[in-house]
Amino acid sequence: MAKARGYAVLTPKAELVPFEFDRRALRPGDVEISITHAGICHSDIHQGREEWGQALFPMVPGHEIVGRVASVGASVSKFSPGQLVGVGVFIDSCRKCENCLAGLQQYCSEGMTGTYNTMERDGKSVAYGGYSNLIVVDENYVVNVPESLDIQGVAPLMCAGITLYSPLRHWETGPGKRVGIIGLGGLGHMGVKFAHAMGAHVTVFSHSDRKKPDALAMGADEFVANPSEEYFKKNGNSFDLILNTVSVDVNLELYLSLLRLNGTLVLIGLPGKPYQVPAGVLLNKRRRLAGSMIGGIPELQEMLNFCGEKQITSDVEVIEPSYINNAWERTVASDVKYRFVIDTTKF
Ligand code: NAP
Ligand code: ZN
Ligand code: ZN
């Protein structure tokens, strides 16, 4: 067993405080990782504040993890000490259902085992996440990070990155496709970078005009702040794919009306309340309303390789652990460019 240091939410909605805990002794297939950076995802806040229902406390959040292998178990074959690696939103799954076998572990029939806020598959230990200096994970749920990438901007790829990369690939984004990204936050800004790199025409929808220069610099072709009724009328039936990354409710009917025949609006942001959508806007032009959740291990590796090739990382603000509570507040206020990343070597 190894002693780990980190930050935890001790009771629902409480502020995060320093927290010490044990990581399990290495099993034969385990990799022990000295974490260097952990991203702050809005999902950490939703869970720490029980916005998605009952959660498990104490909670060490964090599922955007990057670091170096410190040691490996006896049967580990893919990793060796010193290697740069990442861990994302899940650390295990059943490994035998058709989705796991297809490399879509995030859709495991038994449910994936999250990186935190869940019991591990032994049913006894609580999974603690990446707001810490150390983690132990089975090698099958660890990915290799290209050394050519700027390490500070890598951690957010493990959730924000893959969550946008996966639907862009699934709905075959490429040259000639018109893609909309609603919300330029941690997830949204990765969507802009990926859709641009894949050759699509990219429009960002944002709830203020503050982020326009950044969006254009990231590769957006158009930026629309608070689209007007007029905009929706004029641009109806013109988008192939729209990805909604907003953490609060948006008017889906209006955005659905922007889709052309067979176009798809993908829900990615996860506000607490259900949406209401009139059937008419879906029937018309055979539009689809879909959802997408992170990505599986093979796709995570594919995305990291793509990032290595295209030199894509997240735009980050690196913080010390003592700033985590302020960072959560600023994330809720959309005051982050574009992901907070904790320097976990300072725990
Ligand atoms: P984030 O960095 O806080 O970004 C959310 C963006 O939503 C903001 O930057 C802002 O963009 C927009 N927004 C925020 N408050 C708003 C308001 N009051 N009115 C209108 N727009 C507002 O969050 P994130 O980490 O990217 O996560 C976004 C959502 O995705 C969260 O709900 C998170 O839980 C969820 N998520 C889903 C998955 C998945 O697998 N599907 C994975 C990770 C996260 P603008 O300023 O540009 O308007
Ligand atoms: Zn996340
Ligand atoms: Zn499974």
Side-chain angles (χ1 to χ4, degrees), residues 8-170:
V9 185
L10 299 182
T11 54
K13 301 185 177 59
E15 294 227 309
L16 292 107
V17 291
F19 184 68
E20 289 201 359
F21 57 101
D22 291 323
R23 293 290 190 190
R24 69 171 181 248
L26 242 60
R27 295 172 188 154
D30 277 346
V31 177
E32 182 186 26
I33 302 164
S34 287
I35 306 175
T36 58
H37 298 88
I40 293 181
C41 177
H42 208 115
S43 303
D44 302 343
I45 305 170
H46 286 310
Q47 292 174 86
R49 296 183 176 174
E50 284 202 327
E51 291 167 0
W52 292 345
Q54 208 178 0
L56 206 55
F57 297 93
M59 179 192 297
V60 178
H63 58 206
E64 294 185 336
I65 299 169
V66 64
R68 292 209 178 262
V69 175
S71 58
V72 295
S75 67
V76 166
S77 58
K78 297 182 211 145
F79 300 99
S80 48
Q83 202 171 334
L84 192 61
V85 292
V87 175
V89 178
F90 54 91
I91 47 160
D92 210 343
S93 64
C94 85
R95 309 179 190 208
K96 52 186 193 304
C97 73
E98 63 176 327
N99 298 343
C100 280
L101 293 175
L104 297 166
Q105 297 89 346
Q106 76 275 33
Y107 302 125
C108 172
S109 308
E110 290 184 10
M112 63 178 187
T113 304
T115 305
Y116 69 88
N117 187 24
T118 189
M119 297 303 289
E120 299 232 19
R121 293 192 94 75
D122 62 8
K124 291 183 216 139
S125 24
V126 175
Y128 288 131
Y131 291 12
S132 66
N133 64 335
L134 194 70
I135 194 166
V136 175
V137 181
D138 183 289
E139 70 166 331
N140 293 303
Y141 297 83
V142 178
V143 286
N144 183 30
V145 174
E147 289 280 354
S148 61
L149 291 174
D150 173 15
I151 191 170
Q152 295 195 333
V154 167
L157 300 175
M158 304 306 301
C159 173
I162 187 64
T163 300
L164 275 287
Y165 182 88
S166 184
L168 287 168
R169 282 285 188 230
H170 181 78

Side-chain angles (χ1 to χ4, degrees), residues 42-43 46 184-187 206-207 211 245 268 270 292 294 339:
H42 208 115
S43 303
H46 286 310
L184 195 72
L187 268 59
S206 191
H207 77 302
K211 300 176 180 172
T245 74
I268 291 169
L270 207 62
S292 184
I294 46 177
R339 199 59 145 185

Side-chain angles (χ1 to χ4, degrees), residues 228-244:
S228 61
E229 219 174 288
E230 170 103 6
Y231 177 90
F232 284 106
K233 266 194 209 141
K234 223 167 127 190
N235 292 274
N237 310 317
S238 66
F239 282 80
D240 298 281
L241 180 67
I242 300 178
L243 306 180
N244 174 24

